[in-house]
Every structure is written in structure tokens, then in C-alpha cells.
Amino acid sequence: MPNYADLINAYPQYDRTHDIDELRQREYSRLDRQGHIYLDYTGGGLYADSQVRQHHDLLVDNVFGNPHSANPTSLAATRMVESARQYVLHYFNASPDEYVAIFTQNASGALKLVGESYPFGKGCHYLLSFDNHNSVNGIREFAHTKGADVTYVPLMLPDMRVDEAMLDDYLELGTAGCANLFAYPAQSNFSSVQHPLEWIEKAHAKGWDVLLDAAAFTPTNRLDLSQVRPDFVPLSFYKMFGYPTGLGALIARKEGLGKLHRPWFAGGTITVASVQGDKYYLADAPAAFEDGTVDYLDIPAIEIGLKHLETVGIDLIHERVRCLTGWLLHNLSLLEHSTGVPLVRVYGPLTIPQRGGAVTVNFFDKDGKPIDIRIVEQAASARNISLRTGCFCNPGAGEIALQISKMDLAACFTQSDHVQRLTYDDFRLCIDDKASGAVRISVGMVSNYEDIEELLKFAEGLLE
């Protein structure tokens, strides 16, 4: 079993991240007090004690009312909401002259706003990588409905990256004078591959609007919107700093936002609406895209969370995650059964450049057969280890990683055409008991050496 000295020998930079250990003791002591090994940061970040206290104090010391008025409590709430909105732009270094921050319930809500409002049309194109969250995949249904073509850019094994030359060819598919949208994640929520941000301007040069899914990237990486300029950036704040849940944002370039046409209107989104006149007039952004009353009591917690991240330092967080991820990858890849069969198969890069803190794997027995991911999760839970199993709402990456072919899927979906829904067990039987999911181990802001040590001990227990 490797020890701490081995980690420092391999990653001497880890020694410069001890401020995070002090932070963990001060702000996240409940982890060690309750014996938690939390390795699901891609699923959700953890909140600091002080975030909750500051938000609580703000609420009990003030009176806030529905912002859609000019009375004192409404104006107080409006000031807090607009302060948080401006702080979102500040945090991402997005000029308010160029970008607007629209509050949504999460990243999926932000993506739905784009999908339902984007001016797809016959002959236009929606281009996206195989490696995308289902909420990005779901936009294809709006594209199909409006007659646009939908094309997926494949991934290359074993690292699960996109071939750059192939991407160049796909970007030639955009139709001149048409609304063409290219969507990809800054970081995969499946393999943790970080796709190049340089693709944004490459696509712009070919006439594409660009949607950059930043949900998995921003918790441990700096996104500077003065340096890269995607048209649409969806994100969820709980992924970044744990609290509040139920709030996200669409950070949109004003130029891109001007192309969107909402299919309906709601309270808060209009300046005037008439029943007898059968007319309505949308407000300017961001109000035009925030349906009903915003979550004005929780939105101030966003600014508190962003300031917490700034205090810790995103570069320090990034370095801690980089070191622990490299250490985890190295040691998992060394584990073998007595038969010589590797215990673990990693889906994605085995090295740390251009990758994030999620390590997605399957475990195999001594005969090379996959161990059911449900058994792995159950065994981990018995040791108070929180990890995640499944395909993580990223079927494209999962199908490539697990080598589930289009033929496998076609046969499966044809058999199930007569039923309303397909269960996981039905799907697994349908693809002849191939591995249909994986185990994702993701480190984050306050992960430490001991977390990885416990995970490796757990993995060793699966040998033989």
C-alpha cells in the first residue's frame, strides 16, 4: 500500500495545498466527524459551514419581498438579486457590456432555455460531441422539430477525446446564412476529459454559435470569459460550492441572446400583455428569460458561495485536485488479480494533462468479467464511501467507453418498442449482460490524501 511520502515524491506540489486541510477542519469538519469518504464531487459540491451561517444571518436580519414591485421589501430583494447577478459576471470575468447572467433552476434549465428558443430551421445544423450530458442531447428534439439536421462528433478510444482533424471536417457542415449551433462540454462529466476551449473561436470562424457546457468544469477550473467567448454557458451553482441547490445560470452573450425567440411568455417576462388585444411584449434580458418570480431568497447565497471560492482560490483547488487525481489513477492502474487480470479499467485518460478530477472505471473479477456496479456501490456505501454509478446522464460517452454498438442498441430498442418505458434491468438483459454503466470516483475542493487511501483500500478488497 503506498504511503503519504510516496504521494509527495510523485506530486511535490501537493505539499503546497495544506491550506485546504485547514479549511476542511474549519468549514467541513462534519466529513471527518461522521466518517464520510466523499468522492462524488462531480455529482455535487459540498458547502462550507460559513456559507450557511452567512445566508441564515442575511435572512433573519432583513425582510425581503417579491422583487416585482417598488415597495421597500421588494426593492431590498431586487438589490440582492442584482448584486448576485453582477457577481456572477465578475467571477467569470464576463463584461456586462457583452454578457448577461440569467438565473435558472439548474444547468438543465439553462439548456432548455437555449433549446426551445434557438432559431433552428430547415437546412440548419445542430452539431454536438458524443460526449455530452443528456440535457445537451435533449436540445436535438427542438432541432428535429424545426427541421434542422443533427450530427454527433464521435470520440476516439482509449482517451475518449475528439480527433481534431475530424472536428474540422464536421465544422464544415454549417450552412451559410442559417442558425447553426455547436455544443460541447468544457469537461466531460463521464471521463473528465477537458475538451479544448480553442474550439470556440474555431467554430465561430466557421459561422457557428457555440454552447459550452461548463457545469463539470467550473468547480475546479478557472473559466475566464474575457479570454474565451462562447455564446451560451450553462452551469449549476451547487456543483461549484454545494449551496444553494436548485439554482443555476445561463451566461449568454448579448449577440447570441438576441437570436433567441421564446415560444411563450410568463409572469415577470413581459412589459405588457393583453387578453382582449391578444398581444404581449417581452421585457429585455435577463427578465425576458426568467419565468415567474425568481428564487429571491436563495439567490443571495450564490454571491456568498462565489466569494467563498475566491477566498479559497480556484488555482489552489485545481492543484489539489490535479495531484490527488494523478495519484488515484496511478495506484488504481497497478491493482491486479493473481491471474494477472487488472482489477480496474479506466475510461478516459490515464495521465492528468487536460483532464479533471473524475476517474470513471469498471471493476473486474479474476476471470475478466465485470463486477456489477450495483454490488460495487453497495460495498462502498457499507464503508461510508460516497461514489456514483451508472452512465451519469451521458449515454454517448458511455456507449463509446463500454463499446455498446449501434447494432446492440438498435436490437434492444426494437424489442422494447411495444413498451412505454425501459428499465435498467431490461436494458442490461437486452445487451447480453455487457457492462451497461460504470463507477465514477470524483475528487474535489476538500478531498485529501486519506480519502484516496480509503478508496484504494476498498478497491484492494475487491481483488479475487
Side-chain angles (χ1 to χ4, degrees), residues 28-37 47 383-384:
Y28 301 85
S29 61
R30 61 191 184 277
L31 282 170
D32 298 317
R33 190 169 61 248
Q34 298 176 23
H36 282 286
I37 310 301
Y47 53 83
R383 298 182 66 152
N384 221 17

Side-chain angles (χ1 to χ4, degrees), residues 98-100 200-201 204 209-210 228-233 251-259:
E98 185 176 9
Y99 280 96
V100 175
I200 297 166
E201 288 313 309
H204 279 162
D209 295 318
V210 179
V228 295
R229 291 180 166 84
D231 300 281
F232 308 106
V233 182
I251 305 176
R253 286 180 75 193
K254 292 180 179 179
E255 182 180 345
L257 206 58
K259 299 178 183 180

Side-chain angles (χ1 to χ4, degrees), residues 12-266:
Q13 302 92 334
Y14 185 82
D15 239 356
R16 299 199 290 269
T17 67
H18 287 306
D19 284 352
I20 288 180
D21 296 316
E22 295 174 11
L23 175 75
R24 177 168 171 146
Q25 291 174 8
R26 186 174 68 252
E27 295 275 17
Y28 301 85
S29 61
R30 61 191 184 277
L31 282 170
D32 298 317
R33 190 169 61 248
Q34 298 176 23
H36 282 286
I37 310 301
Y38 187 80
L39 293 169
D40 190 25
Y41 284 90
T42 303
L46 297 179
Y47 53 83
D49 292 351
S50 62
Q51 286 175 250
V52 180
R53 284 196 304 269
Q54 287 180 54
H55 188 221
H56 171 268
D57 291 347
L58 180 72
L59 296 181
V60 298
D61 291 342
N62 293 276
V63 179
F64 298 116
N66 187 324
H68 295 149
S69 187
N71 66 60
T73 54
S74 294
L75 291 176
T78 298
R79 283 193 294 271
M80 298 305 298
V81 168
E82 294 310 312
S83 178
R85 192 189 309 281
Q86 293 309 309
Y87 214 86
V88 170
L89 295 180
H90 161 78
Y91 182 84
F92 292 105
N93 205 16
S95 168
D97 294 330
E98 185 176 9
Y99 280 96
V100 175
I102 297 163
F103 290 123
T104 63
Q105 68 269 43
N106 46 37
S108 294
L111 288 160
K112 185 172 183 287
L113 271 181
V114 176
E116 69 183 10
S117 305
Y118 193 77
F120 293 116
K122 190 170 179 59
C124 301
H125 225 105
Y126 182 40
L127 179 67
L128 63 166
S129 62
F130 263 65
D131 187 3
N132 263 306
H133 191 277
N134 261 339
S135 298
V136 181
N137 290 324
I139 292 175
R140 74 188 185 198
E141 300 307 307
F142 295 113
H144 284 316
T145 298
K146 295 178 181 179
D149 296 318
V150 176
T151 303
Y152 279 93
V153 183
L155 303 174
M156 308 298 290
L157 291 172
D159 280 2
M160 299 191 58
R161 299 188 187 275
V162 170
D163 180 88
E164 294 274 348
M166 188 181 297
L167 176 63
D168 289 341
D169 291 339
Y170 278 100
L171 288 174
E172 295 295 336
L173 295 175
T175 305
C178 216
N180 303 301
L181 182 63
F182 172 47
Y184 76 97
Q187 179 174 307
S188 172
N189 74 318
F190 185 97
S191 67
S192 219
V193 162
Q194 291 179 346
H195 299 291
L197 298 180
E198 290 78 10
W199 289 355
I200 297 166
E201 288 313 309
K202 180 182 285 193
H204 279 162
K206 300 288 186 180
W208 295 82
D209 295 318
V210 179
L211 187 159
L212 182 75
D213 181 1
F217 182 80
T218 53
T220 60
N221 298 275
R222 186 180 300 280
L223 179 62
D224 186 338
L225 294 179
S226 73
Q227 299 299 312
V228 295
R229 291 180 166 84
D231 300 281
F232 308 106
V233 182
L235 51 89
S236 287
F237 293 111
Y238 77 93
K239 301 271 189 183
M240 299 174 68
F241 41 77
Y243 177 86
T245 57
L247 276 170
L250 173 65
I251 305 176
R253 286 180 75 193
K254 292 180 179 179
E255 182 180 345
L257 206 58
K259 299 178 183 180
L260 303 187
H261 304 290
R262 299 216 62 192
W264 83 314
F265 67 93

